[in-house]
Amino acid sequence: MVLTAAGWLVNLISFNVENFPKSGIPQVNTVLHWDRVIQRYVNLDMISSVNDQLMSLWSARWPWFVIVLSFAVPFIRQKNWSKIYAIAWVGLTIGVSDAIAHNLLKPWFGRIRPCRLEGLVRVVEGCSGYYSFPSNHAGNAAVFATLWLLLFSRFQGGLAVLCALVIGLSRVYLGVHYPTDILGGFVWGTSLALLSYFIWKHLPLNRETKRA
């Protein structure tokens, strides 16, 4: 069953939209169909100059620095070292997530970005990189939101989840990802965050770290 699911996933991700609908697997065709339906709606039907600016803003990295700083500054001011160590652990996990997704997962799946395929999507601003699955933005956002929810505050973690969803939407709007890239990024980031949390809970440094 696990091998069947794995094979289904590989068929889905390695299957680029320019070949649609030639897959012999009905489930893959169904997912790819809705992938394109959602992509067209977000990338084309939501077009406006305001959305162009907002989605470009959310897709940039600096808003996350603002969010992280606003969450972390109280702990830094209080010199709460157990929380500061936990924040560093979150940062380390994000770095691992980003490196593995970029250097291993994307080349292995080899799914070409939609913005690299002429005429497939509306590209708002450039097209960096060549492969798209899984989305690094979505994966990193999922790591941060999941770990913050588990290690610190449900309220702040909930806000981070909402921010992650908006970031995922922005990547599809800008034409640099398929919706399934975002979904894959969320699954990857959440899975890694849960593993990281399990490891953290078994480290001596976390004994004083409790959820706010």
Side-chain angles (χ1 to χ4, degrees):
M1 185 174 181
V2 174
L3 291 177
T4 301
W8 186 88
L9 177 63
V10 171
N11 271 281
L12 169 63
I13 303 310
S14 61
F15 192 83
N16 291 313
V17 172
E18 72 270 21
N19 300 122
F20 180 81
K22 297 178 182 177
S23 173
I25 304 176
Q27 295 90 338
V28 171
N29 283 336
T30 299
V31 174
L32 286 171
H33 168 73
W34 285 106
D35 204 30
R36 285 295 289 135
V37 169
I38 295 171
Q39 184 182 47
R40 286 193 183 105
Y41 176 76
V42 175
N43 180 250
L44 297 175
D45 294 349
M46 290 177 59
I47 290 176
S48 75
S49 58
V50 173
N51 281 343
D52 284 356
Q53 296 297 321
L54 288 176
M55 296 301 178
S56 296
L57 173 67
W58 273 104
S59 190
R61 295 191 182 274
W62 69 263
W64 273 106
F65 288 107
V66 175
I67 294 170
V68 172
L69 282 176
S70 66
F71 287 178
V73 162
F75 301 133
I76 296 173
R77 286 180 175 175
Q78 296 165 9
K79 295 184 179 179
N80 188 331
W81 291 107
S82 63
K83 297 290 189 182
I84 293 173
Y85 291 146
I87 293 170
W89 183 259
V90 173
L92 176 63
T93 307
I94 292 173
V96 171
S97 170
D98 192 71
I100 293 177
H102 180 74
N103 296 306
L104 296 178
L105 297 181
K106 282 185 174 178
W108 189 75
F109 283 112
R111 193 183 202 188
I112 302 171
R113 285 187 184 272
C115 54
R116 292 291 178 187
L117 304 174
E118 187 176 354
L120 183 64
V121 294
R122 170 180 177 262
V123 181
V124 178
E125 52 169 29
C127 186
S128 61
Y130 192 75
Y131 298 122
S132 67
F133 185 92
S135 164
N136 281 64
H137 281 71
N140 296 343
V143 168
F144 177 78
T146 302
L147 284 179
W148 207 272
L149 186 69
L150 293 172
L151 291 173
F152 299 100
S153 163
R154 289 189 180 93
F155 175 72
Q156 291 179 339
L159 290 179
V161 169
L162 291 177
C163 291
L165 292 174
V166 175
I167 286 175
L169 180 70
S170 74
R171 301 302 287 168
V172 177
Y173 180 88
L174 296 175
V176 296
H177 279 293
Y178 302 102
T180 45
D181 295 339
I182 306 303
L183 179 60
F186 286 155
V187 171
W188 158 246
T190 301
S191 300
L192 183 63
L194 292 175
L195 175 62
S196 176
Y197 177 71
F198 175 80
I199 294 172
W200 172 258
K201 293 295 288 184
H202 289 79
L203 294 177
L205 286 175
N206 77 68
R207 290 175 182 171
E208 297 179 9
T209 304
K210 296 182 180 181
R211 188 185 302 170

